[in-house]
Amino acid sequence: MKKLLLLSCAFVIATSCGTTSKNNATTSHSETTKITDPTIYASTITAEELKTMLYKYASDEFEGRDTGEKGQKMAVEYLKQKYITMDIPTPLGDDDYFQEVPLEKQKVAEAKVVVNGKSFESFKNQIVLAIPNDVDITLNSIVYVGYGIDDENYSDYKNIDVKGKFIIAKAGEPKDADGNYITSGNTEETKWTNGRQSLSSKREAAKANGAIGLLYMDNNLFPRYAGFYQSQFSAGTAGRLSLKNNDNGITMMMINETLAKALNPTISEDTTPKEIDTTINLEIKNKTESIMSENVVAFIKGSEKPNEIVVISAHLDHEGIKNGEIYNGADDDGSGTVAILEIAQAFKTAEKAGHGPKRSILFLHVTGEEKGLLGSRYYADVDPVFPLENTVANLNIDMIGRVDPERTEGTRNYIYLIGSDKLSTDLHQISEEANSKYTQIELDYKFNDDNDPNRFYYRSDHYNFAKNNIPVIFYFNGTHADYHKPSDTPDKIEYDLLETRTKLVFYTAWEVANRNDRVVVDKKVSE
């Protein structure tokens, strides 16, 4: 990191000429108090430093930074030392930069399932996807919830009580008479329609309505899942990671049509939720391994509004080692990780020059993003370091070092912004003005569309803030041929773009942290 001495002359000029004091401030359209010229501090963000750090962070030495593994432990220690070197403290006290995140690795379980005296085999008829505790139960009924959708426009739970019960649901989403999906009112697929996101959405709906078990019929996914889960079971390897005692609050199984029809013979045609009299014996042994991972947190206290927090986040983990190959994750999300370090340096430089931010800044490096947004979910849902009601905004960085090869129009000097207007018109305007004034990047909102089939808005760590009505911006360059492959290496990063995009996040954070008024939330959570 640069020495402050190199910028001392610039600080004298910036703070003595052409700036407005705190007591004599004028405000722009976004009501930002002009403490000083932030370009002085943004100049500490350089392609050279980003490159140096990323070649280290995304090197083979860190073994792909798999959650809970040796490489991830090396990564968090690297980040800690960077903050110590920059003299940026931790909000946790002493030199404790690690927010411990307790996780469980769940090994694939084999289930014994008997319906009305007939047995159904593991991996042939049923697969255990999640189990919080051992199950040894006899049920005299099960609740059929149709598609298992719970949306403001359509709900299978509307007139039926599933609290404390096992339920059965089927894949898919119904359409109306015009061929439009029932929850969206158009032909674009939603999070309920099919695939892994549908599976996850229906699990969350079941949990939210109080069910303790979900049997989910998906004939399209079942053959794919069966082979994978059986191979994992045979090898005895650990499977899905989850938050300990928090994430797996429901027993979940995927079943094929044969087992589904044993429970409800008309399930393929039937959409009416109802309680079904049947006898089911379930016996499943929970096989889990407890592990500990870490979020890294560093903090610059606000000078005037210290209890209002701006969170700048990126995930520190990646895919680890698979089949002997290291997945370095230079873009995903080494680029976001080193960007935060440079942004932290810029804010610290300003603070040392007497121009620290009005509001506090939390630099949050989260673990387990690749395993299901686990680190950010733990922060938001279990143990927020600062109360969520005090959190002004979250600026989340996930992949900002490359160019999307599918983007055929516009310049290479772009960034995809997602979520900036979902909850706050105010934050969106701040972002637009910061870019117009300082960086002039082409802001592309392609993936911000509510009907975007990729649904990136729900797929990175910002969403765990957004679901709590905290305004967010997700900075993203799009995917590319090296996404989630061993070939995502630091030599392929375009460091001039990484520098400019990092500066954009800094300038936006600067405006949010230093304006007179807190960012206004004027929209509700969009699911």
Side-chain angles (χ1 to χ4, degrees), residues 7 10-11 13-15 17-20 28 30 32-45 342-343 345-351 353 355-357 433-435 437-439 502-515:
L7 294 173
F11 295 153
I13 294 171
T15 55
C17 301
T19 60
T20 304
S28 70
S30 61
T32 302
T33 300
K34 301 302 179 184
I35 296 178
T36 188
D37 180 4
T39 61
I40 298 295
Y41 312 118
S43 68
T44 66
I45 299 170
E342 284 287 84
I343 292 167
Q345 175 191 227
F347 272 110
K348 187 63 181 181
T349 303
E351 183 188 53
H355 299 295
E433 289 182 357
N435 180 62
K437 184 173 183 179
Y438 297 114
T439 47
T502 302
K503 286 180 176 178
L504 171 63
V505 182
F506 166 74
Y507 285 126
T508 305
W510 178 273
E511 297 294 314
V512 171
N514 287 308
R515 69 198 308 258

Side-chain angles (χ1 to χ4, degrees), residues 428-464:
H428 179 75
Q429 186 66 22
I430 293 168
S431 169
E432 287 276 344
E433 289 182 357
N435 180 62
S436 177
K437 184 173 183 179
Y438 297 114
T439 47
Q440 293 85 51
I441 296 175
E442 184 178 341
L443 304 182
D444 192 327
Y445 295 97
K446 171 183 177 181
F447 296 120
N448 193 53
D449 189 330
D450 288 340
N451 296 318
D452 168 37
N454 298 283
R455 299 183 66 78
F456 287 125
Y457 177 61
Y458 304 93
R459 290 172 52 184
S460 191
D461 294 295
H462 60 278
Y463 185 66
N464 283 317

Side-chain angles (χ1 to χ4, degrees), residues 65-70 72-73 99-107 238-245 287-295 317-318 367-368 371 374-375 378:
R65 310 186 302 277
D66 193 8
T67 303
E69 301 299 328
K70 174 186 172 184
Q72 181 252 301
K73 304 297 183 183
Q99 180 188 41
E100 293 187 332
V101 180
L103 302 173
E104 289 182 338
K105 275 187 176 180
Q106 188 169 89
K107 292 185 177 181
R240 181 175 177 265
L241 265 181
S242 63
L243 293 181
K244 189 171 184 179
N245 299 325
K287 300 178 179 180
T288 61
E289 172 191 352
S290 296
I291 66 169
M292 189 66 70
S293 191
E294 300 84 18
N295 293 333
D317 62 307
H318 194 56
T367 188
K371 310 299 183 183
L374 299 180
Y378 183 81

Side-chain angles (χ1 to χ4, degrees), residues 448-518:
N448 193 53
D449 189 330
D450 288 340
N451 296 318
D452 168 37
N454 298 283
R455 299 183 66 78
F456 287 125
Y457 177 61
Y458 304 93
R459 290 172 52 184
S460 191
D461 294 295
H462 60 278
Y463 185 66
N464 283 317
F465 291 90
K467 72 183 185 184
N468 286 288
N469 288 304
I470 296 169
V472 302
I473 303 178
F474 173 23
Y475 300 86
F476 179 53
N477 53 221
T479 59
H480 42 72
D482 302 306
Y483 176 64
H484 280 196
K485 292 183 179 178
S487 51
D488 182 9
T489 49
D491 57 297
K492 296 177 181 177
I493 298 295
E494 302 193 37
Y495 289 95
D496 61 329
L497 296 181
L498 179 54
E499 176 187 317
T500 306
R501 293 162 177 174
T502 302
K503 286 180 176 178
L504 171 63
V505 182
F506 166 74
Y507 285 126
T508 305
W510 178 273
E511 297 294 314
V512 171
N514 287 308
R515 69 198 308 258
N516 288 334
D517 297 326
R518 177 174 173 154

